[in-house]
Amino acid sequence: MRAKHGGNIYETAKKYGISEQDIIDFSANINPLGIPYKLKETIISNIETIENYPDPDYKRLVLAIAEYNNIHEDFVIPGNGATEIIFKIVQAIKPKKTLLLAPTFSEYERALKSVGSDVVYYLLDEDTQFNVDKNVLLEKLKDNIDFIVLCNPNNPTGQIIGQNILKEILIECKKRKINFMIDEAFIEFVKDEKNHSLIGSLYDFDNLFIIRALTKFFAIPGLRIGYGLISNQGIKGKIIDGKEPWTINGFAAISGEALLEDKEYIEKSKEFFELERKYMYEELQKIRNIKVFKPYANYVFFKLISKDIDLKEELIQRKLLIRQCIDYVNLDGSFFRVAIKDRDSNKKLIEGLKEVLYDN
Ligand SMILES: Cc1ncc(COP(=O)(O)O)c(C=O)c1O
C-alpha cells in the first residue's frame, strides 16, 4: 500500500505539461518563509561534513532537541523525518489493535499494517467540525485497544484537541495499559503551542510517545529531520537497538542544531502565521459554495458544496495545486486542504477559487 501525499508537483507538472516552477503548490503544508538565511551559511560552511560519517548517536543534535523542548536528553530519538520515527515506534511496540482517527495522516496506518495491527477508526463527524469528542473516544478505548494514535493539530482537518481532554485520555490509557502516540508535527504553527503540546506529561507517563518534525515549520521537507520524545527507556532502547545507523545525513544533523536555536526565525514565523491564518480564514469564508473549517495550523480544510465541478482540475488550469482529500478514510472528493502561503500566493488562490466557483 503506497500512500498519496500532497507536494507531488513533479507528477502534476508532467501530467499537465507545466513547468514545476510555474505551479503554486498549496498541496504541501510548508512554511512559506522558506529556509532560514542562517541555514544556507551553515550548510555551505560545513560542506566537508560529508567526508565523514555522522555521529551515530547524534549527540549534539539530541542535546539541541532536548534544550529546544526543555526536556531531558534521554527522552530524545532523532530521525530521518517524523515518518521514520512513526514507523520505528510502531515496530517496537507491535500493537495488536489500534484506534485511529479518521480522517488523519495516512502513514500511521501503513506503519500499523507493517506489523499486522488491527485498526479501528473513530470516524470524526463533519457536523461537529471533525472535533474529537472525549466521551466517544473514551468509549472506543474499551474495545480491547492496546494502542492509540492522535494527531494534534490533525491533518488534514486542522482541528486541535484541548490539552485537558488529551490528559484525561492519557490517564485512561495508562489505566488500561494502552500506549498513546501523538503526532505534533504541526504544533509550532499553533498559537500558544505550549498550552497544547503534551511534552509536559512525558515525565509522568511512560505510555506516551510524541512525534515531532522540523520539516514543516522550518521548511525543510527535502532535508529530512524529525524526532520522537519518549520517556519509556525500555521501548526507546528497543528502537535504538533495531535502528539502522546514520539514517540522518550529516547536513541534516548540523542543520537541526542551527535551526532549533534560530529564535528570530521561530518568532517571525509565528507572527506571520497568526496574521495570515486569520486573513485566509476570513477570505475563504466569504467565498460562496465552500464550507470552511476553522484552521489552527498552517493549512485550511474546506468542503465544496452544491457545485458539480472538478475543483482541483479547474485550479490546475490556473497553475494552482491544491490537495483533494479523496483518499482519506471518512472523506470524499468534495473535501480539500490548502496550505497557507505568502500573501501574494494566497490572493491568487482566493481569486482562482472565486473565478472557478462563480463563473462555472
Ligand atoms: C501529521 C504529519 N506527521 C508527519 C508527517 C511527515 O513528516 P516528515 O516529512 O518529517 O517525515 C506529515 C507529513 O505530511 C504529517 O502531515
Side-chain angles (χ1 to χ4, degrees):
M1 180 172 95
R2 201 169 140 199
K4 280 218 172 255
H5 294 291
N8 198 340
I9 47 169
Y10 319 103
E11 189 185 74
T12 308
K14 196 166 163 221
K15 185 168 167 200
Y16 293 89
I18 318 171
S19 143
E20 282 159 28
Q21 286 78 23
D22 290 341
I23 298 174
I24 309 183
D25 181 13
F26 289 89
S27 72
N29 305 320
I30 303 300
N31 188 341
L33 299 190
I35 55 169
Y37 175 72
K38 285 181 198 153
L39 183 60
K40 282 188 194 166
E41 268 181 10
T42 304
I43 290 185
I44 291 165
S45 61
N46 284 286
I47 191 84
E48 296 83 16
T49 303
I50 49 175
E51 291 175 355
N52 301 309
Y53 278 99
D55 169 8
D57 299 324
Y58 299 101
K59 283 192 205 67
R60 291 176 51 156
L61 178 61
V62 165
L63 279 177
I65 294 169
E67 198 169 309
Y68 175 75
N69 291 294
N70 199 15
I71 48 151
H72 198 283
E73 61 193 82
D74 286 350
F75 292 4
V76 177
I77 299 193
N80 183 280
T83 305
E84 183 185 26
I85 302 296
I86 293 169
F87 274 76
K88 293 296 169 197
I89 291 176
V90 167
Q91 285 162 0
I93 293 178
K94 291 194 179 36
K96 290 197 171 51
K97 193 169 183 185
T98 305
L99 179 62
L100 283 185
L101 301 179
T104 197
F105 181 52
S106 57
E107 293 297 331
Y108 315 134
E109 186 155 353
R110 287 188 69 235
L112 290 161
K113 292 269 156 72
S114 79
V115 296
S117 175
D118 283 342
V119 168
V120 290
Y121 301 110
Y122 171 179
L123 300 175
L124 297 166
D125 196 346
E126 182 189 337
D127 293 340
T128 51
Q129 278 65 48
F130 294 96
N131 275 312
V132 169
D133 179 319
K134 180 188 73 184
N135 295 324
V136 175
L137 193 141
L138 290 176
E139 199 52 40
K140 290 204 173 279
L141 291 180
K142 295 178 185 161
D143 185 16
N144 278 328
I145 299 297
D146 62 350
F147 191 52
I148 176 172
V149 183
L150 298 178
C151 181
N152 200 34
N154 194 16
N155 181 8
T157 61
Q159 298 311 300
I160 192 115
I161 313 170
Q163 207 180 44
N164 289 341
I165 295 182
L166 288 173
K167 284 183 182 167
E168 275 187 59
I169 299 168
L170 192 51
I171 291 169
E172 189 60 26
C173 284
K174 176 93 183 164
K175 252 196 257 166
R176 293 181 173 275
K177 299 195 178 7
I178 298 172
N179 284 313
F180 178 115
M181 184 165 92
I182 187 156
D183 184 344
E184 298 186 344
F186 290 100
I187 200 110
E188 277 113 324
F189 293 105
V190 177
K191 193 176 171 202
D192 301 329
E193 157 201 349
K194 299 262 177 311
N195 294 332
H196 291 95
S197 171
L198 275 187
I199 287 183
S201 298
L202 275 168
Y203 286 91
D204 298 326
F205 291 91
D206 65 355
N207 60 330
L208 172 62
F209 301 84
I210 301 180
I211 305 288
R212 302 286 292 249
L214 276 73
T215 311
K216 320 285 179 179
F217 191 76
F218 294 100
I220 50 161
L223 200 51
R224 316 298 307 136
I225 324 175
Y227 52 94
L229 300 174
I230 302 173
S231 56
N232 186 322
Q233 295 302 300
I235 293 189
K236 188 189 155 209
K238 205 168 155 188
I239 295 173
I240 289 177
D241 290 347
K243 206 169 170 297
E244 300 83 351
W246 313 297
T247 58
I248 307 166
N249 71 73
F251 287 151
I254 286 178
S255 304
E257 292 167 38
L259 291 170
L260 293 171
E261 61 185 31
D262 194 341
K263 297 214 166 41
E264 203 182 315
Y265 179 85
I266 295 170
E267 272 320 300
K268 206 167 114 192
S269 299
K270 284 178 183 277
E271 279 166 23
F272 169 83
F273 274 102
E274 233 179 287
L275 285 176
E276 210 53 32
R277 182 166 45 226
K278 187 166 179 290
Y279 170 78
M280 272 289 258
Y281 183 43
E282 286 175 1
E283 292 305 310
L284 287 170
Q285 273 184 308
K286 289 180 196 161
I287 299 177
R288 271 184 271 134
N289 300 321
I290 60 172
K291 173 178 167 188
V292 186
F293 298 87
K294 188 167 186 218
Y296 291 87
N298 61 326
Y299 48 93
V300 189
F301 182 61
F302 66 86
K303 184 181 186 186
L304 178 64
I305 36 176
S306 60
K307 256 297 189 192
D308 190 17
I309 53 163
D310 189 339
L311 184 61
K312 183 181 171 201
E313 188 74 26
E314 292 282 349
L315 288 172
I316 288 191
Q317 304 302 336
R318 290 159 176 82
K319 302 195 171 69
L320 303 164
L321 175 62
I322 66 170
R323 176 74 162 96
Q324 186 172 27
C325 298
I326 194 163
D327 48 343
Y328 285 87
V329 178
N330 197 25
L331 293 181
D332 59 38
S334 63
F335 289 93
F336 297 88
R337 189 195 67 202
V338 291
I340 298 171
K341 296 184 74 84
D342 59 281
R343 180 61 63 92
D344 272 0
S345 302
N346 294 337
K347 277 188 175 162
K348 284 187 184 138
L349 178 68
I350 288 157
E351 285 316 307
L353 279 166
K354 283 183 182 163
E355 266 177 45
V356 173
L357 292 170
Y358 295 176
D359 294 347
N360 273 286

